[in-house]
Amino acid sequence: MTPPVSFWVVIPAAGIGTRMGADRPKQYLSYAGKTLLEHTLACFLGHPDLRGLVVSLAPGDTWWPALACAQDRTLHSAIGGSQRCDSVLNALLKLNELGAGSRDWVLVHDAARPNLAASDLERLLTELGHDDVGGLLAVPAKDTLKRAGPDGRVAETLDRSVVWQAFTPQMFRLGPLQRALADALVAGVNVTDEASAMEWAGHAPRLIEGRADNIKVTRPEDLAWLKR
């Protein structure tokens, strides 16, 4: 039997989510009686191998203290930054303070991705627990994909058999991830997720196929889909 993999979790939750057009940051919108962020945190809290969880919050966030789960002793907070990578880096620094080691596994998960299945989480931990690099949940592209030119016309049809849609959690060792993100920031490289920072640093993250319903709430129709 594969031994359990202990892990830390980072949730960057400092964004505003302007495309939702809501009166509050999207992670604090409600469905099924709780906020999106509470549903997201519930995907991890109570897991027997979770060592701790850090949420990166916007300065002056007034919504977080009102959540009942904010008092959970497993949860810690860090100051978020202007970009996702800043928020993740600050959370990793907090993990260092909490005693996390360079070789400890860290799972970074989107604050507004509340529908992570327990089976996907276990698959990620099991498949990557002894991997040299780490990796991420993803799904193979199922639609025909087009690359647009600067004039808004189709420049190329991509081979969808080699294209995957990146999801979260993304799972990497604390030390290598921290170095990759910090170096990318110094170099001015635009990294949109943790895997792209690791790729830029010369690593090849592994793709772990997950469920397609692990959606990220970005637009009002996404929230409507969850509420259906």
Side-chain angles (χ1 to χ4, degrees):
M1 180 179 294
T2 303
V5 176
S6 64
F7 63 98
W8 304 84
V9 172
V10 164
I11 307 286
I16 299 173
T18 55
R19 282 177 287 184
M20 288 297 294
D23 63 348
R24 67 195 68 189
K26 65 182 180 181
Q27 59 268 27
Y28 295 116
L29 295 174
S30 295
Y31 87 95
K34 294 182 179 180
T35 64
L36 287 174
L37 181 55
E38 286 176 292
H39 285 288
T40 297
L41 293 170
C43 296
F44 304 98
L45 292 177
H47 192 288
D49 302 310
L50 174 67
R51 298 185 61 188
L53 190 154
V54 176
V55 183
S56 294
L57 302 168
D61 184 322
T62 59
W63 302 95
W64 171 255
L67 303 184
C69 65
Q71 307 306 315
D72 191 306
R73 288 186 295 178
T74 310
L75 289 176
H76 306 270
S77 64
I79 298 298
S82 58
Q83 302 178 70
R84 176 191 177 93
C85 54
D86 297 307
S87 293
V88 173
L89 261 178
N90 287 348
L92 296 180
L93 291 172
K94 182 68 175 182
L95 289 182
N96 291 329
E97 296 176 10
L98 294 171
S102 175
R103 298 294 295 167
D104 284 357
W105 286 113
V106 178
L107 275 61
V108 183
H109 190 60
D110 297 320
R113 199 180 289 274
N115 207 38
L116 172 66
S119 58
D120 272 7
L121 175 58
E122 293 306 322
R123 183 178 301 113
L124 190 75
L125 293 169
T126 300
E127 294 289 333
L128 296 180
H130 299 286
D131 194 86
D132 290 337
V133 176
L136 64 153
L137 284 179
V139 294
K142 58 184 178 180
D143 296 315
T144 299
L145 299 172
K146 308 289 185 180
R147 182 175 65 82
D151 58 355
R153 295 183 179 275
V154 174
E156 179 187 6
T157 298
L158 302 177
D159 178 4
R160 70 180 182 186
S161 69
V162 297
V163 176
W164 290 58
Q165 184 177 356
F167 283 2
T168 66
Q170 303 195 356
M171 176 175 167
F172 299 105
R173 304 279 187 184
L174 172 57
L177 177 59
Q178 188 170 340
R179 287 192 297 273
L181 287 169
D183 290 348
L185 274 174
V186 170
V189 176
N190 180 32
V191 292
T192 55
D193 66 355
E194 294 66 50
S196 57
M198 294 293 284
E199 294 159 37
W200 179 79
H203 304 287
R206 185 175 167 195
L207 295 163
I208 303 298
E209 185 170 355
R211 292 170 48 136
D213 60 358
N214 180 18
I215 70 166
K216 181 180 180 181
V217 175
T218 304
R219 299 180 183 278
E221 56 264 33
D222 301 325
L223 187 57
W225 182 89
L226 284 174
K227 291 179 176 179
R228 77 195 190 290

